[in-house]
């Protein structure tokens, strides 16, 4: 099996989920006592969040570049950035190492394209919902996206940064997301892209009217597929 590196801590709650999904997939594929060869560089999210809060993305990319280089030096043959929002600095991180980095929006877009999805709602934190770095990769695969709902983006930001990254999943936030997804299902879209790695903590991705493309699971499975590839 090939070894993969995770740039994690963005937050620790979603990084733990990546580790679980990858190992579950490898165990099913290999059987017995097999588990996945994984390196994890778990950053201190407080340091990265200070950069992004100040809109200093060069500062943020510096943290990720350092992590990427350390993972490559330790033997990682490919990398995952375990956060949707931090793919804003994907190109800077990618250019700093010689191993491939699997882009979360690209693997999600590939799956949607394969499934014949032509229209969707993108749900995540503010920068993911509003900025081109993420949306364009889905649009390039033939997926038309609803305009961003700024009220929803602001509420998700509060839920993510005040609750989910701390490991808290409240009933109030679960009810809010269920209501929002029910409203989105009334729009002329075929699916919802759950583009925040923590949101699956409060969204039952299998119990909605519309198909939910859970980016955490899709990205982690792409990492497992890399590990298992001959």
């Amino acid at each position: 099996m090939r070894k993969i590196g995770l740039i994690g801590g963005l937050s620790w709650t979603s990084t733990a989920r990546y580790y679980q999904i990858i190992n579950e997939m490898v165990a099913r594929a290999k059987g017995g006592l097999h588990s996945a060869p994984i390196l994890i560089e778990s950053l201190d999210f407080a340091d990265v969040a200070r950069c992004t809060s100040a809109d200093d993305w060069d500062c943020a990319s510096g943290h990720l570049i350092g992590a990427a280089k350390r993972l490559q030096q330790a033997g990682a043959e490919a990398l995952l950035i375990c956060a949707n929002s931090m793919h804003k600095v994907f190109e800077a991180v990618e250019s700093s190492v010689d191993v491939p980095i699997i882009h979360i929006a690209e693997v999600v877009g590939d799956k949607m394209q394969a499934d014949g999805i032509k229209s969707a709602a993108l749900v995540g934190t503010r920068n993911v919902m509003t900025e081109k770095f993420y949306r364009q990769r889905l649009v390039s695969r033939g997926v038309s996206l609803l305009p961003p709902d700024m009220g929803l983006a602001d509420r998700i930001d509060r839920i993510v940064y005040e609750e989910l990254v701390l490991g808290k999943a409240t009933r109030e936030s679960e009810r809010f997301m269920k209501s929002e997804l029910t409203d989105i299902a009334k729009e002329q879209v075929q699916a919802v892209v759950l583009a925040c790695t923590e949101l699956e903590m409060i969204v039952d991705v299998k119990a909605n009217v519309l198909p939910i493309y859970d980016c955490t699971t899709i990205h982690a499975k792409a990492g497992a597929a890399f590990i298992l590839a001959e």
Side-chain angles (χ1 to χ4, degrees):
M1 290 188 285
R2 296 190 287 184
K3 184 176 291 186
I4 202 164
L6 308 184
I7 301 176
L10 306 165
S11 62
W12 67 262
T13 54
S14 59
T15 306
R17 184 69 177 129
Y18 270 84
Y19 185 78
Q20 179 183 5
I21 293 168
I22 292 171
N23 273 292
E24 286 175 346
M25 186 169 170
V26 168
R28 284 195 298 270
K30 303 292 284 187
L33 298 177
H34 285 289
S35 58
I38 300 174
L39 297 169
I40 302 176
E41 177 79 14
S42 189
L43 296 169
D44 183 349
F45 191 38
D47 293 336
V48 180
R50 275 193 291 270
C51 300
T52 59
S53 296
D55 207 27
D56 186 348
W57 289 95
D58 288 338
C59 167
S61 68
H63 289 287
L64 271 69
I65 287 169
K69 288 181 175 179
R70 289 188 291 272
L71 287 167
Q72 177 178 286
Q73 290 166 359
E77 298 170 77
L79 305 177
L80 299 179
I81 298 172
C82 299
N84 288 273
S85 60
M86 296 310 300
H87 279 72
K88 182 179 173 75
V89 298
F90 178 87
E91 284 78 12
V93 182
E94 182 184 43
S95 65
S96 73
V97 292
D98 299 321
V99 296
I101 305 180
I102 301 170
H103 195 294
I104 193 168
E106 290 181 356
V107 294
V108 171
D110 288 345
K111 179 166 175 53
M112 296 177 78
Q113 187 175 47
D115 291 346
I117 299 297
K118 299 293 186 182
S119 60
L122 180 63
V123 174
T125 54
R126 174 180 278 267
N127 77 320
V128 169
M129 286 181 69
T130 61
E131 296 184 34
K132 292 180 179 179
F133 76 92
Y134 202 98
R135 298 177 69 89
Q136 282 184 337
R137 282 182 163 82
L138 300 182
V139 171
S140 71
R141 285 159 173 81
V143 182
S144 173
L145 297 172
L146 288 180
D149 180 333
M150 300 313 300
L152 176 58
D154 288 341
R155 179 67 181 269
I156 288 175
D157 274 6
R158 290 195 297 273
I159 290 171
V160 170
Y161 297 115
E162 295 176 12
E163 298 174 16
L164 302 184
V165 301
L166 304 176
K168 300 176 182 177
T170 68
R171 290 288 296 167
E172 179 184 358
S173 294
E174 288 177 6
R175 286 192 293 268
F176 171 77
M177 288 304 303
K178 185 173 183 178
S179 175
E180 287 296 316
L181 291 170
T182 300
D183 288 344
I184 289 171
K186 299 173 186 175
E187 303 284 347
Q188 296 300 310
V189 292
Q190 296 172 278
V192 174
V193 181
L194 203 63
C196 172
T197 52
E198 291 85 14
L199 279 179
E200 69 162 16
M201 293 170 63
I202 55 171
V203 173
D204 185 344
V205 298
K206 297 178 181 178
N208 287 277
V209 176
L210 290 175
I212 303 288
Y213 284 79
D214 174 21
C215 295
T216 306
T217 298
I218 296 169
H219 198 208
K221 286 184 174 180
F226 175 86
I227 291 170
L228 293 165
E230 297 294 337

